[in-house]
Amino acid sequence: ESLVLYTSQPNEDAQATVDAFEAANPGVEVEWVREGTTKIMAKLMAEIEAGNPVADVLLIADTVTMQRLKEAGQLMPYKSPEASAFEASLFDPDGTYYSTKMITTGIIYNTSAAMKPAGWEDLAKPEAKGLVTMPSPLTSGAALIHAQTLAGIGALGWDYYEALAENGATAAGGNGGVLKSVATGEKAYGMVVDFMAIREKAKGAPVEFVFPAEGVSAVTEPVAILRTAKNPDAAKKFVDFLLSEEGQQVAVTMGYIPARNGLALPEGFPAREVVKVLPVDAAAAVKNSDADLKTFSGIFGTN
Amino acid sequence: MSGVGEPAWLLAFVCGAVFLLSVLPLIHLGWAGLKGLEGGEAASVLLEAATFAALRNTLVAAAGGMVISLVVGALFAFVVALTDIRGKLALSFAFMLPMMIPPQVTALAWVEMSGPSSPLLKTLGLAPPLGSPQPLYSLAGIALLLGVQHAPLVFLAIKAGLATHPRDGVEAARLSGASPWRVFRDIVLPLACPALIAGGAIAFISGIGNFGIPAILGIPASIETLPTLIFAKFASFGSSTFGEIAVLSTIIASISAGGLLLQQRALKGRDYRLIGLTGARAAFTLGRLRIAVETLLWGTLALVLVAPLLALVASSLVPAYGVPLTLHTVSLQAYGEVLFRQTVTLTALKNSVFLASAAAVGLLVIALPAGYLLAARRGRVANLLAILIEIPYALPGIVLAVAFILAFAAPLPVIGVSIYGTIWIILAAYLSSFFAVSLKPVMSAFLQMDPSLEEAARLAGAGFLRRMRDVLLPLVAPAAGASVILVFLIAANELTVSALLWSAGTQTLGVAIFNLDDSGSSNLASALSVLVVAVVIGLMATLEVLAKYLPEGVLPWRN
Amino acid sequence: MAQLILNHLTKDFGAKGPGEGGPAVSDVSLTLRKQGFLALLGPSGCGKTTVLRMIAGFEQPTDGSIEFGECRLSDAVRVLPPEKRNMAMVFQSYALWPHMTVAENVGYPLKVRRISGEAWRSRVAEALSLVRLTAYADRRPSALSGGQRQRVALARCLVQQPDIVLLDEPLANLDQHLRKAMEETFRAFHERSSATMIYVTHDQAEAMALATDVAVMSEGKLLQVAPPADIYARPEGRVVGSLIGRGAIVRLRLPEKAGRQLDWPLLQAALAGRRSGHGHAGEGPLSDVLIRPEQVHPDSGGMPMRVLSSVFEGERSALTLALPDGQSLKAYSNKAFCHGTEVPFVISGGWRL
Amino acid sequence: MAQLILNHLTKDFGAKGPGEGGPAVSDVSLTLRKQGFLALLGPSGCGKTTVLRMIAGFEQPTDGSIEFGECRLSDAVRVLPPEKRNMAMVFQSYALWPHMTVAENVGYPLKVRRISGEAWRSRVAEALSLVRLTAYADRRPSALSGGQRQRVALARCLVQQPDIVLLDEPLANLDQHLRKAMEETFRAFHERSSATMIYVTHDQAEAMALATDVAVMSEGKLLQVAPPADIYARPEGRVVGSLIGRGAIVRLRLPEKAGRQLDWPLLQAALAGRRSGHGHAGEGPLSDVLIRPEQVHPDSGGMPMRVLSSVFEGERSALTLALPDGQSLKAYSNKAFCHGTEVPFVISGGWRL
Ligand SMILES: Nc1ncnc2c1ncn2[C@@H]1O[C@H](COP(=O)(O)OP(=O)(O)OP(=O)(O)O)[C@@H](O)[C@H]1O
Ligand SMILES: Nc1ncnc2c1ncn2[C@@H]1O[C@H](COP(=O)(O)OP(=O)(O)OP(=O)(O)O)[C@@H](O)[C@H]1O
Ligand SMILES: [Mg+2]
Ligand SMILES: [Mg+2]
């Protein structure tokens, strides 16, 4: 049996996930391709357009893209028995996609920075003038969801982004870029996904990561089976494995917050209670994404 | 070229190659685009202000980059080819290396070099304060780095062209009383025109299609270019995406076609064919200026090569970003990791070396007849062919890759086998993408050749292939060598095309480096980049050692 | 071996310069005798090279055709590619391949014909020794003198066994000794190979000495084709008359019934008649008469002529003489004359053009 | 105008071919008279072009020096750059610039000297009309015939007002009419400009007609320099003797006391004496004697010689005669002889080399 996986997980994580799956399911051989979400989607869409999609399973960063694929009828519904251990907001009621972990976006700062931020509002303060950077929603799916999430909070909203823009914040590339510019001291503060900052800190980089008090947005790295999957059985096994306790433990060891209830958070993270994850409505997000992108672009002058 | 009778199959061969490599994928892209356009939504992208701004930025950045490439590349080429400076071999060798360093890396290195944490500026006490604006995040910055990145293209194109320069023409001009500078302006420069124009064109087109540099330098400053805009469109995939991509790609294609027509116009009515034996190359003595020129060249090299390379090495020696490089933090662990633990490294190295060599040699096989044909017959058909050859190179890698998936994802007709998912599709895409790069120097060499040299071979009874091998190829050897090296260097590091086309076991080096970097292992990525540079230097050094067994003039760094 | 036939051959390069009309070659028809040796003469720019290039197949005729025996080589529609023609040519610009050594240059036509090893070496060595370049076999053309390059081109041509040999001023850059030796080589090559040879040269003695036929072109047109002695003795028209040999053309009134070959009494009468304006010889229509310098001898019984100039040429001096009526003649003399002296000369013959 | 002095000039290209030794030019010393016109003759590859290139400053001498008046132009250490020498040259390879039109090529030296506008146009037009290329002013060199290219190179040289003019076989590809016309042009140019001219040619008549001095080189060495008539009448040594003019060199036993200029009685005795092996004339040491063809006349009172070959050359036939002892002579004759006939000839003079 074989299985083709398209994923946007980082290399090592993808390898670890596949290794764990293969160990648990001897006889299934996984071929995987890893790329950034944009590229993997471009590849998949082109394959679909050409009438010969190769992938069986898709494991990518955000639900919004999955929702889009679902609406385009590209996903195969599958009710996984493991779903019961998950909160309902973390999977599609039709069973087309399931969240596998939570990657939150919080605040990173360079240890040499004068102010220690505690919440989103701090980034709009004069102390942070010109020192803030964030990933651009144009490049990163997670960043778009993050922007939509923060904009959805009454206390922040798009006004908050306007204040940031006024304060000289920039919207730069992807999460990697933000991490680099903060770690290298080009900027003092940034919005970035949790695991990157925490890992980098562990390696000795001069950075700190904060889960802001107002709450964090999260992408949930959903998994889905393509309607055109050539190996549906193996694909189902894969989904089940990822959602299983064993599979979720793999995510924890890799340094992610597991989506499944009842597992401890990985090292370097605060207690689960401190991390307040703000909810996001995937369907609405898909609907509004174009408008939101325009709003964001308007604010940050990304014409 | 004599107008009479190139073999009939030649046109068919070239047209066939252009069809397979260029027209077929473009048709598929266009077709998908048309379907996307049906809704009518996608066409509106044409009217968006963002598109205009991106178009303007692309043109400005590419043109600026072209100018910088031309200035830097031509300076090096002329000085190295025509003057008596010392250390030519080392200079030309080193000058080609910046092409080896992936654009993202170069961009990051420069950002780092000129930013608050720049080790250089820190040591000098000139480091700007934390958070000060980065001057490279601007159109000028993009142009500068595009220029630096593509200068070797210009360098090689011009140097190959200069290899055939007639010495007596220069001598006649000097005897007419023209100072060396005057001779340069009146004789050398105009005669180098085809090469200059070819080099400029290739730099311009490279600038249009480049994604890595504007992505890193432009996005923070909210400067979109067409490639980054296209990337953004891919990011928010929707029903109209293909339509929009097709529309934006058409804009890029039109720019490159326009550029090419401009180029042909610039060349029109000029006959650069040299008459008779070209003999030894002209040499100018610099005298007291020599030291100054040498300093200038090595200084430039230090800036464009040594600095990014050092940055790369430095970041490969520390475990994470921002960790200062001290005796305490330095470790070779990253090298051990990529060399001995990451199996993908060796696979990727093998794949990339195979792809780069196959593309370089394969393209030579196509570019020689194509260059010959295009130089021999000028006119509509030739113009059309030239434009079709150019477009895939001008398109951002991601678009070309999508076009190839569209064209080749389904099993091939007749044989029923799909090359999709194999290394061959990457090779095909490389052939398509770098055709223009390979063709440019070869074609300008054919344009300059004294036609009677080929005629003599024909009369000696040599058929087309025979004289191609025995006479034409050796005569254009410098250009052919430049073309092979160019394609090899670009392909060895290629990222965006292969990013979409690779699958298990066919990773390329670019993909491997990018993935390492993307997953936060910047030290591994840097270590692998350094290794790649080292491998390529090793390969080039091997060639250098073998130089006496190679045809004369093929090694572009040799004089 | 077959006959080479040029049939109303015309070539128009299209791109005409201002002030000059007409095609480079126009309406040239010519049948070369089998195994003939044709010398092609004509002023610079008259289309000689263009004719050769059309025969070789490098240029397509705008009109007309070229046939070789039964086989049509070129016409305005189709051109047999040069590599299928089995011809050899010495290019006016030599066209040596700079990346090959002298021996490789010379041996390339053999290599193409799959001759290699000992046979190759010996034939190349033979061709090189014919042109006295044996010691230069391993040089590159760029390290040769002009004449040496020309000899390499010659050797490359002689090494083959072609049906047709085209020689475009093959000896222009050689000294006279080599030239004589090469003439001998051509003669021997022609006899041995029985190839048809076409030879463009500006050296008439060379042309006369070698050729079985001489063709004269001017401004793209073929004016006359004839064996050497014929064309020298009986040129047709002013142009050929002035092109072949060094003679002077004078205009004289000659009686209508006088033949074309003129003798001294007739010429004397015509000259005298013209001067005085009466007498029977001076009354006919004005004709062009070609008088060759070797036909003009100093003779005390002759007609006095003034020496306009006397140029030393080594073996003799070339004189320019003024006839009493102001027209000028050319003559040779073993001794120099002072400018302005009047000397009596006899004109032993003339040819009415 | 100053004198041009070559001082033990030597040039060794280093890269010697197998089997040939020695430098391309070795130890050439020569003082050109002011405003002289030197013709440089010599077999192909003897170093003529190399000498010119050293004078122009393109090659650095390996040894020796070149002086122009007070000023040292070149030696093995320093070379005055060509652009500071005010010389003009016609290159053997023409060296036209392919990217300029004919007029631009010709006018470039003027442009460099900041002559523009009307003056430029008129001087270029004048130079072009001298070489008969007015109609071709706007062509590119690649669309010209070989002779036309050569004339462009000539015009480019004539348009200047140089101190020294170097002409490397400037007329090799021109027909004889143009050649004569160009000779006139050179003469006029020389008189008007008072430049020193050095002229390499293979055409001896041309050299004799134009030059004030003739220099003969062979294998890199300068053999003799003398005025034309001198060098023709009194060449020094076998090499010069065989290079200048067309004569034959025969070896004869001559009495020691005989001068160098030999007459028929002496020659007849030597020839006869040698045949029989006795008599006073045939007893001296063997000497080389140069006998020119114009000194050999058919004469019933002469010595019978066998005609080995008779080659038609237009104005006359060139005969090769066998002396009774088998050595060969050259002669001219107005009528052709059959191969093998015995004809009596008189040798009116000879020159002991
Ligand atoms: N670049 C070079 N390298 C080595 N040898 C050379 C070079 N150029 C010329 N020679 C040799 O030097 C000798 C003299 O050459 P040069 O060109 O001066 O002859 P030349 O007298 O002009 O002959 P020609 O009448 O054939 O033009 C020749 O034997 C030639 O082979
Ligand atoms: N490629 C070309 N384009 C336009 N005109 C040309 C071209 N080649 C030659 N011509 C013209 O055609 C005419 C004949 O040229 P051709 O070369 O046949 O002369 P030629 O008789 O060989 O002269 P020469 O004795 O000077 O070599 C010339 O007037 C020349 O200018
Ligand atoms: Mg010609
Ligand atoms: Mg020479």
Side-chain angles (χ1 to χ4, degrees), chain B residues 158-217:
Chain B
I158 296 180
K159 194 148 170 293
L162 289 178
T164 57
H165 260 229
R167 170 176 175 160
D168 59 3
V170 170
E171 290 171 346
R174 295 192 70 178
L175 204 61
S176 300
S179 63
W181 170 243
R182 189 82 202 254
V183 174
F184 176 76
R185 203 189 72 192
D186 291 346
I187 311 295
V188 177
L189 206 56
L191 282 181
C193 234
L196 269 173
I197 291 174
I202 203 80
F204 180 71
I205 303 284
S206 307
I208 289 178
N210 192 294
F211 171 75
I213 290 171
I216 288 180
L217 299 184

Side-chain angles (χ1 to χ4, degrees), chain C residues 145-147, chain D residues 48-50 92 168-169 200:
Chain C
S145 78
Chain D
K48 306 179 293 296
T49 300
T50 310
Q92 200 166 9
D168 201 350
E169 307 187 25
V200 171

Side-chain angles (χ1 to χ4, degrees), chain B residues 23-412:
Chain B
V23 178
L24 193 65
L26 290 181
I27 284 182
H28 276 94
L29 185 66
W31 181 244
L34 264 187
K35 279 198 275 177
L37 278 177
E38 269 168 11
E41 260 172 84
S44 66
V45 72
L46 255 187
L47 304 174
E48 280 172 21
T51 312
F52 281 109
L55 174 60
R56 197 196 64 223
N57 290 339
T58 308
L59 284 176
V60 171
M66 174 184 79
V67 171
I68 293 169
S69 297
L70 272 177
V71 170
V72 179
L75 172 76
F76 269 77
F78 283 125
V79 170
V80 167
L82 299 179
T83 72
D84 59 344
I85 58 157
R86 290 160 291 188
K88 290 182 181 180
L89 191 72
L91 262 179
S92 352
F93 201 91
F95 191 71
M96 283 184 304
L97 290 177
M99 227 163 39
M100 279 311 304
I101 304 174
Q104 314 80 277
V105 175
T106 313
L108 280 174
W110 277 65
V111 167
E112 213 165 301
M113 195 163 69
S114 53
S117 60
S118 159
L120 181 73
L121 297 182
K122 265 184 185 164
T123 342
L124 294 177
L126 292 175
L130 194 68
S132 21
Q134 171 50 261
L136 287 177
Y137 290 161
S138 61
L139 262 184
I142 298 177
L144 174 67
L145 283 207
L146 284 177
V148 167
Q149 184 80 21
H150 299 137
L153 292 171
V154 178
F155 171 74
L156 284 182
I158 296 180
K159 194 148 170 293
L162 289 178
T164 57
H165 260 229
R167 170 176 175 160
D168 59 3
V170 170
E171 290 171 346
R174 295 192 70 178
L175 204 61
S176 300
S179 63
W181 170 243
R182 189 82 202 254
V183 174
F184 176 76
R185 203 189 72 192
D186 291 346
I187 311 295
V188 177
L189 206 56
L191 282 181
C193 234
L196 269 173
I197 291 174
I202 203 80
F204 180 71
I205 303 284
S206 307
I208 289 178
N210 192 294
F211 171 75
I213 290 171
I216 288 180
L217 299 184
I219 292 173
S222 311
I223 299 169
E224 289 275 9
T225 63
L226 286 174
T228 55
L229 189 64
I230 286 181
F231 199 78
K233 297 290 175 201
F234 273 117
S236 54
F237 236 111
S239 56
S240 60
T241 299
F242 278 123
E244 291 174 346
I245 302 297
V247 170
L248 293 177
S249 300
T250 311
I251 298 181
I252 291 185
S254 325
I255 297 180
S256 64
L260 202 78
L261 289 178
L262 211 66
Q263 177 196 346
Q264 261 142 11
R265 212 194 168 99
L267 280 174
K268 198 170 175 177
R270 305 191 187 194
D271 204 333
Y272 290 95
R273 281 173 299 165
L274 304 170
I275 302 163
L277 206 56
T278 54
R281 189 163 331 157
F284 294 95
T285 28
L286 288 176
R288 263 169 305 160
L289 269 180
R290 189 161 82 170
I291 277 289
V293 172
E294 284 170 350
T295 316
L296 176 68
L297 295 196
W298 284 109
T300 312
L301 259 185
L303 206 62
V304 302
L305 172 69
V306 180
L309 204 58
L310 281 185
L312 204 58
V313 171
S315 60
S316 74
L317 293 176
V318 295
Y321 287 118
V323 179
L325 178 61
T326 64
L327 273 184
H328 209 65
T329 52
V330 66
S331 97
L332 287 174
Q333 174 263 338
Y335 288 92
E337 175 80 23
V338 288
L339 272 182
F340 305 117
R341 235 151 305 150
Q342 300 269 338
T343 51
V344 53
T345 312
L346 290 181
T347 322
L349 190 67
K350 209 180 66 204
N351 286 338
S352 276
V353 169
F354 165 75
L355 283 171
S357 341
V361 175
L363 273 179
L364 190 64
V365 172
I366 309 172
L368 277 174
Y372 175 90
L373 185 83
L374 295 186
R377 39 163 88 208
R378 299 170 213 183
R380 288 240 182 85
V381 180
N383 277 358
L384 182 65
L385 282 176
I387 288 173
L388 286 173
I389 289 170
E390 201 101 328
I391 288 175
Y393 183 61
L395 291 181
I398 190 168
V399 176
L400 185 71
V402 163
F404 264 79
I405 298 177
L406 292 173
F408 292 107
L412 295 175

